[in-house]
Amino acid sequence: MSSESSKKRKPKVIRSDGAPAEGKRNRSDTEQEGKYYSEEAEVDLRDPGRDYELYKYTCQELQRLMAEIQDLKSRGGKDVAIEIEERRIQSCVHFMTLKKLNRLAHIRLKKGRDQTHEAKQKVDAYHLQLQNLLYEVMHLQKEITKCLEFKSKHEEIDLVSLEEFYKEAPPDISKAEVTMGDPHQQTLARLDWELEQRKRLAEKYRECLSNKEKILKEIEVKKEYLSSLQPRLNSIMQASLPVQEYLFMPFDQAHKQYETARHLPPPLYVLFVQATAYGQACAHMKSSQPPRQDKTLSVAIEGSVDEAKALFKPPEDSQDDESDSDAEEEQTTKRRRPTLGVQLDDKRKEMLKRHPLSVMLDLKCKDDSVLHLTFYYLMNLNIMTVKAKVTTATELITPISAGDLLSPDSVLSCLYPGDHGKKTPNPANQYQFDKVGILTLSDYVLELGHPYLWVQKLGGLHFPKEQPQQTVIADHSLSASHMETTMKLLKTRVQSRLALHKQFASLEHGIVPVTSDCQYLFPAKVVSRLVKWVTVAHEDYMELHFTKDIVDAGLAGDTNLYYMALIERGTAKLQAAVVLNPGYSSIPPVFQLCLNWKGEKTNSNDDNIRAMEGEVNVCYKELCGPWPSHQLLTNQLQRLCVLLDVYLETESHDDSVEGPKEFPQEKMCLRLFSRMKPFKYNHPQGFFSHR
C-alpha cells in the first residue's frame, strides 16, 4: 500500500457503534498539551462506571476485528487486503481509545493517592495533638495525686473529736462563728487547743514526778523496816518446822523449791509450776483440807544451782600483765592444735549441752508402782527431753518376752499417736545439726532423753511446721491444757505395761490367764492349749508369708511390739503372729493366723481362717472385759483356742479312713446351710452359731 493513500486516510475519523468520536491526530504540540491538561479536568466530569463499560466494549470490538482479520487472511484473494486495511484502521482507533482510558485511570489513581496522603497528614496531626493532650492530662493527674496524698505533720497528731473540742475548748480558741464554716481555721483552732492541753499535761507530769520521789522515799523507809523483819521471820519458820511435819504441810521445803525454781529455764519453770498446781488441785479434790501436795504426784528440782547461776553471770574482763601474756603465748605455741574431728566433737557436746537443773516427776499408781520422769532442757536446741523409769513395790521376775515392756527407751513410746520421740520437734535444729555433722538426734536419745511432743507441750513449747518462728516462748496455757490428759495417759501406760508384764509370765509357761470377770466369754471346756509365746523381731515379722496383709496395710511399724503364739491340739498347730501397739489396750492387738493341719492354711486360701482372724481382730470389743481392758490380749488368745476347737471339731470326717475321728465334736454348734463354721459363742446357752 502506497504512502499517499495512507496520508489521505489519516485525517478520517472512524466511529464505532456506541463509541465516542475522537479528534484528528495531526494537531500541533500546543494543542496536545492543552488537551492533556484538559483531561485532568475531564476526569472530574467523567463517570468511572461509564469509562469501565467503554473499556469492556472497546476490548470486545478489538477481539471481533482481530478475528475478522484472521478470517480474511485465511481466505486469501485480491479484495481482501482493502478490507484488512480498513479493519486495521478501526483497530488503531480502538487502541487510541484504550490509551486514553489508561491515562484517565492513572490520573484518577494519582488524585486518589494525593487525597489519601492529605487525609493521612491530617490524621497524624490530630494524633499528635491527642498525645500531647493525654500527656498533659497524665501530668495534671500526677500533680493532683501528689496534692491529695500530701500529709502534713499535724495529721500525725491524734486530735480530740469536734464535739469534744467545741464542748471543752474556751470561746477565744474555738471561735465557733469562724471555724464552723472554714475547715482550715477549724484545724488551726484544734491545734491551738491541743497545744494548750499538752502544756497542762506537762505541768501535771512534773507534779507527778515530785509525788513519785516522795513515795520512793517512803518505800525506802519501809524496805529498811522489812529487812529488819526478815531475821525474825526466819526464826519463826525454824520454830514451826515440827508443826509443818506433823500436819504434812512442808511450807519451808516448798519455799526452798520455789527459790530454786527461779533459776530454771522458762520451759522447765512452766512444767514445774503447772505440775505443782495440778498436784495441789488433785489433792484438794480428794480432801476438804487446805491445798497440799498430792501424794500420787511429787515434783522436785535436781541439779546444781551454782552452775545455773553461773550461766547468767556476764564474763569478767581481765587485764593481764605483759609477763602473763608472754607466758600464755609460749604455752599455746608448745600445744598442738586440735584436729578437725576433736573440734567437731567439742561443737557437738556444746550443741547438745543440757541445763544444770532438771525437774523430776514421780507419778504413783494404784498398785504402788511409781513412774519416775526426769525432764531436761537442751539450751542450744531449745527443746525438752525426758528419761523414764518404772519401779514397783515388789521385785518383778522379768519374762523373756517382756524385756521391752518396761524398757526406758520404749515405755513411753507413742503415748500420743505417732510420737515416737526419735526426732527433734524443732525444725530449726536440722540446720544446727548440719553445721556440726549430726545426722539425727536418735543417736543421742539414750544419753539425752527422748524429745517427745507431749514433753514440749508440758513445757509450754510449740513449734509450728507451717510457719516456723524465730523464738519460741514457753506458754503456761499450753502446758495447763495438756497436763491432766498427759498424766492420765502416763498412769494408764504404766498400768497396762505392768499388767502385760504379769500376763507374759503366765503365757511363757503355757497358761492363758482368764479372770473370773471374763469366764462367761468362753465355754467351760477348752481342749486347745497355748504351748509357745515368744517375742519376734520386727524384721522377722516382716518376712513371714502370712503377715503380708498387715505389712501392706502399714500396721507393722517399727515402734510396735511383735510376738508369736503357738496353739496346739493333736496334730493341728495354729501359729498366731501378734502386733502389739504401744497404745495397748486402747488400741487392740492385731492377729494373723496360719494353721498347719492337712496342709498350710491362711486367710488367703481358707475363708474360715479369715473368719477366725475377724473374731479376734474385728469383734475385739466383746473381749475387752471390765475397764481398763487389761485382759484383752489374754482373752483374744483364749478365744483363739476356742476357735481352733470349733474349727477342728466341725471339720468333715473322711469315711474312707478307718478308725475313730481325730477331733470328736464336744461343743454344740448350730451350723446352717453355709460353708463357714459357727465361731460365735452364745452365753449362757453355750452353743456356737454364725454371726
Side-chain angles (χ1 to χ4, degrees):
M1 186 178 294
S2 63
S3 60
E4 294 178 359
S5 60
S6 63
K7 288 179 181 179
K8 290 178 181 180
R9 285 192 297 267
K10 211 169 188 179
K12 293 181 180 179
V13 176
I14 300 174
R15 296 179 181 273
S16 58
D17 297 336
E22 299 290 340
K24 297 182 179 181
R25 305 181 63 185
N26 56 354
R27 296 177 182 178
S28 63
D29 296 337
T30 57
E31 292 178 353
Q32 292 179 357
E33 185 177 358
K35 189 176 182 179
Y36 172 77
Y37 285 108
S38 65
E39 283 181 352
E40 290 184 352
E42 186 181 358
V43 168
D44 299 331
L45 301 176
R46 293 176 67 95
D47 185 12
R50 296 186 63 183
D51 288 347
Y52 177 68
E53 295 294 334
L54 178 60
Y55 167 74
K56 290 199 301 182
Y57 172 77
T58 305
C59 291
Q60 291 176 358
E61 289 296 321
L62 280 174
Q63 290 178 358
R64 183 180 63 77
L65 291 173
M66 292 300 169
E68 291 178 357
I69 292 171
Q70 180 68 24
D71 186 32
L72 291 173
K73 283 185 178 182
S74 61
R75 290 180 187 176
K78 297 180 180 180
D79 298 332
V80 175
I82 298 172
E83 295 179 1
I84 292 173
E85 183 65 20
E86 290 177 358
R87 285 169 175 76
R88 186 183 67 79
I89 293 171
Q90 292 177 5
S91 299
C92 290
V93 172
H94 287 303
F95 274 118
M96 294 298 294
T97 302
L98 290 177
K99 285 184 178 181
K100 181 178 180 179
L101 293 175
N102 185 36
R103 289 195 303 274
L104 294 175
H106 279 287
I107 292 171
R108 286 193 185 96
L109 179 63
K110 181 176 180 299
K111 287 187 176 183
R113 286 178 177 175
D114 293 341
Q115 292 175 357
T116 303
H117 183 67
E118 292 176 0
K120 185 178 178 182
Q121 285 182 340
K122 290 181 180 179
V123 171
D124 291 340
Y126 290 149
H127 182 71
L128 182 59
Q129 293 177 4
L130 176 62
Q131 293 297 325
N132 292 335
L133 292 174
L134 290 176
Y135 178 77
E136 291 180 4
V137 169
M138 183 177 65
H139 176 70
L140 292 175
Q141 287 178 347
K142 288 183 179 179
E143 293 298 325
I144 292 171
T145 304
K146 288 181 181 179
C147 294
L148 293 176
E149 293 179 352
F150 174 76
K151 291 185 179 180
S152 178
K153 286 293 184 180
H154 78 277
E155 294 180 2
E156 300 177 359
I157 302 174
D158 190 11
L159 300 176
V160 297
S161 62
L162 290 175
E163 297 178 358
E164 187 178 353
F165 168 68
Y166 286 111
K167 183 179 179 181
E168 297 181 358
D172 59 337
I173 294 180
S174 61
K175 299 177 183 179
E177 65 279 358
V178 178
T179 58
M180 291 291 287
D182 190 351
H184 178 65
Q185 294 295 331
Q186 186 182 70
T187 304
L188 293 176
R190 293 174 69 187
L191 289 173
D192 292 338
W193 175 240
E194 183 70 20
L195 178 61
E196 184 67 24
Q197 283 184 319
R198 293 196 177 192
K199 289 180 179 178
R200 296 177 184 177
L201 291 174
E203 184 65 26
K204 189 175 181 180
Y205 172 71
R206 287 190 289 270
E207 293 177 0
C208 292
L209 285 180
S210 61
N211 293 333
K212 179 183 175 182
E213 293 178 356
K214 294 179 181 178
I215 294 172
L216 287 176
K217 292 179 180 179
E218 295 178 0
I219 291 174
E220 290 295 332
V221 174
K222 292 181 179 180
K223 278 185 177 180
E224 293 178 359
Y225 172 74
L226 292 176
S227 61
S228 63
L229 188 62
Q230 183 65 33
R232 301 178 185 177
L233 294 177
N234 291 335
S235 61
I236 294 174
M237 290 294 295
Q238 291 294 330
S240 65
L241 287 178
V243 180
Q244 295 179 25
E245 294 176 0
Y246 179 76
L247 297 177
F248 298 104
M249 293 182 175
F251 294 114
D252 186 61
Q253 182 180 358
H255 178 72
K256 291 180 180 179
Q257 287 284 339
Y258 283 117
E259 286 294 326
T260 308
R262 293 171 52 193
H263 305 287
L264 287 172
L268 290 181
Y269 179 77
V270 170
L271 172 64
F272 173 79
V273 172
Q274 295 299 328
T276 304
Y278 176 73
Q280 292 177 356
C282 292
H284 182 63
M285 292 173 63
K286 295 177 183 179
S287 175
S288 59
Q289 297 178 2
R292 62 181 71 183
Q293 184 65 35
D294 187 12
K295 294 182 180 180
T296 60
L297 177 62
S298 61
V299 187
I301 301 175
E302 289 189 351
S304 175
V305 180
D306 296 335
E307 293 182 8
K309 292 180 180 179
L311 293 175
F312 298 98
K313 287 183 179 180
E316 298 180 357
D317 297 333
S318 59
Q319 298 179 353
D320 300 331
D321 298 334
E322 295 181 359
S323 58
D324 295 338
S325 61
D326 295 339
E328 288 181 359
E329 290 179 1
E330 293 178 0
Q331 290 179 0
T332 53
T333 53
K334 292 179 181 179
R335 294 176 184 173
R336 294 182 178 179
R337 292 184 178 180
T339 60
L340 182 60
V342 175
Q343 292 178 357
L344 279 178
D345 289 339
D346 295 339
K347 290 181 180 179
R348 289 169 188 165
K349 291 179 181 179
E350 182 65 25
M351 181 74 67
L352 304 175
K353 188 177 180 181
R354 297 188 300 204
H355 194 272
L357 297 179
S358 59
V359 177
M360 282 200 62
L361 264 66
D362 291 342
L363 192 62
K364 190 175 181 181
C365 301
K366 293 181 180 179
D367 53 355
D368 292 336
S369 58
V370 182
L371 175 63
H372 305 279
L373 300 174
T374 306
F375 294 88
Y376 302 97
Y377 177 67
L378 305 185
M379 297 180 291
N380 295 320
L381 301 182
N382 193 24
I383 59 175
M384 290 175 59
T385 60
V386 64
K387 286 186 176 182
K389 181 182 178 182
V390 179
T391 58
T392 56
T394 59
E395 186 177 357
L396 295 176
I397 301 175
T398 305
I400 298 175
S401 58
D404 294 335
L405 289 178
L406 300 178
S407 171
D409 187 42
S410 61
V411 67
L412 299 181
S413 178
C414 296
L415 188 67
Y416 288 89
D419 190 6
H420 50 75
K422 296 295 180 64
K423 296 181 180 179
T424 173
N426 190 353
N429 293 159
Q430 191 58 46
Y431 301 99
Q432 296 173 292
F433 291 163
D434 294 340
K435 293 180 180 180
V436 296
I438 297 177
L439 299 178
T440 177
L441 191 64
S442 59
D443 300 333
Y444 303 90
V445 292
L446 293 178
E447 177 185 356
L448 301 175
H450 292 267
Y452 297 111
L453 290 176
W454 58 267
V455 175
Q456 316 307 318
K457 292 180 180 179
L458 291 185
L461 297 177
H462 176 59
F463 303 97
K465 296 182 180 179
E466 297 179 355
Q467 297 179 352
Q469 301 177 359
Q470 294 181 353
T471 57
V472 179
I473 303 174
D475 186 8
H476 282 269
S477 60
L478 179 64
S479 176
S481 62
H482 288 80
M483 182 63 67
E484 183 176 4
T485 304
T486 305
M487 292 297 121
K488 290 181 179 179
L489 288 176
L490 290 172
K491 286 185 179 180
T492 304
R493 174 61 63 86
V494 173
Q495 292 173 359
S496 63
R497 290 298 174 93
L498 290 175
L500 286 174
H501 196 278
K502 295 177 182 178
Q503 293 170 11
F504 284 3
S506 300
L507 294 178
E508 288 187 358
H509 291 85
I511 301 173
V512 181
V514 179
T515 60
S516 58
D517 298 331
C518 302
Q519 289 289 348
Y520 71 94
L521 297 173
F522 312 103
K525 185 177 180 181
V526 181
V527 182
S528 299
R529 59 189 181 88
L530 178 69
V531 297
K532 186 179 180 182
W533 175 263
V534 293
T535 183
V536 179
H538 178 234
E539 295 78 9
D540 297 337
Y541 182 88
M542 301 283 285
E543 294 177 358
L544 293 174
H545 64 280
F546 59 91
T547 60
K548 187 175 182 299
D549 296 340
I550 300 298
V551 175
D552 294 342
L555 300 177
D558 55 355
T559 58
N560 297 331
L561 302 176
Y562 300 92
Y563 301 94
M564 180 68 71
L566 180 62
I567 302 174
E568 290 184 357
R569 180 179 177 181
T571 58
K573 296 182 179 180
L574 179 65
Q575 288 182 318
V578 185
V579 181
L580 190 65
N581 192 280
Y584 175 86
S585 58
S586 59
I587 301 177
V590 180
F591 287 74
Q592 287 291 100
L593 304 179
C594 177
L595 178 61
N596 293 309
W597 183 64
K598 295 182 180 180
E600 188 176 80
K601 301 177 182 180
T602 62
N603 59 6
S604 60
N605 57 16
D606 192 338
D607 292 338
N608 289 304
I609 297 296
R610 184 181 293 108
M612 293 170 64
E613 292 177 352
E615 286 292 326
V616 293
N617 292 333
V618 180
C619 305
Y620 69 91
K621 292 184 179 180
E622 302 175 0
L623 307 173
C624 289
W627 191 87
S629 307
H630 291 160
Q631 298 294 325
L632 176 59
L633 176 62
T634 55
N635 289 343
Q636 286 177 310
L637 290 172
Q638 185 71 1
R639 173 64 66 87
L640 278 182
C641 295
V642 175
L643 295 178
L644 181 59
D645 286 347
V646 174
Y647 183 94
L648 298 175
E649 292 176 9
T650 56
E651 190 70 16
S652 60
H653 180 65
D654 189 1
D655 297 335
S656 62
V657 179
E658 297 180 356
K661 190 176 181 181
E662 182 180 2
F663 304 109
Q665 186 169 353
E666 299 177 354
K667 297 175 178 59
M668 184 170 58
C669 299
L670 181 60
R671 189 169 186 178
L672 301 177
F673 298 98
S674 175
R675 292 182 298 175
M676 303 300 294
K677 300 178 183 295
F679 290 125
K680 180 182 178 182
Y681 179 68
N682 296 274
H683 176 80
Q685 293 82 4
F687 66 91
F688 291 85
S689 63
H690 295 93
R691 286 195 177 273

